[in-house]
Amino acid sequence: VQLQASGGGLVQAGGSLRLSCVAARKDYNVNSMAWYRQAPGKQREMIATITYNGRTTYADSVKGRFTISRDGARNTLYLQMNNLEPEDTAVYYCQLRGGMLSTLRPFTSWGQGTQVTVSS
């Protein structure tokens, strides 16, 4: 299942951005979706997840500032990012874990990444 992430950009510290991740197909069940980020020289880290029934979890570094949500009708995952800090500068990736409706085969898909740069 192909994912297309968008919404990144350059913002000043304290600003906001909303990332979107659209799935190209609808013939699957969602187990969970997530946002990851990877800063230069660092490992990719998971920052927010949402399960099929809407349960959310956040990394401590973004808790209270970022909100993950999902619109099932639009096959779209969102990440609302408020009060951004320079430390949030990274490439942000969306992830989908699900199963194909026709075969029940599980899969994990990744979006291509969208750059977020926060200036001080």
Side-chain angles (χ1 to χ4, degrees):
V1 177
Q2 186 175 4
L3 302 178
Q4 181 71 39
S6 62
L10 174 63
V11 64
Q12 288 188 331
S16 298
L17 284 173
R18 189 175 81 156
L19 305 183
S20 299
C21 175
V22 182
R25 299 170 61 170
K26 300 182 180 181
D27 56 341
Y28 57 89
N29 285 319
V30 174
N31 292 328
S32 66
M33 298 188 77
W35 288 98
Y36 287 68
R37 70 184 181 188
Q38 187 167 18
K42 295 187 177 181
Q43 288 188 330
R44 190 175 296 190
E45 62 171 339
M46 184 171 66
I47 56 172
T49 66
I50 184 166
T51 64
Y52 70 96
N53 59 356
R55 181 179 178 182
T56 59
T57 59
Y58 297 92
D60 288 343
S61 58
V62 306
K63 199 173 294 183
R65 300 186 299 123
F66 290 10
T67 302
I68 188 171
S69 62
R70 174 174 165 254
D71 185 336
R74 292 182 169 82
N75 297 320
T76 304
L77 177 72
Y78 299 102
L79 184 68
Q80 178 66 44
M81 305 186 294
N82 298 327
N83 194 20
L84 283 160
E85 304 169 351
E87 293 73 22
D88 296 317
T89 295
V91 178
Y92 284 69
Y93 299 90
C94 54
Q95 182 204 62
L96 164 64
R97 292 183 183 271
M100 300 306 297
L101 288 176
S102 59
T103 64
L104 302 181
R105 178 178 63 87
F107 66 89
T108 300
S109 294
W110 290 90
Q112 85 286 5
T114 184
Q115 175 71 46
V116 172
T117 303
V118 184
S119 63
S120 57

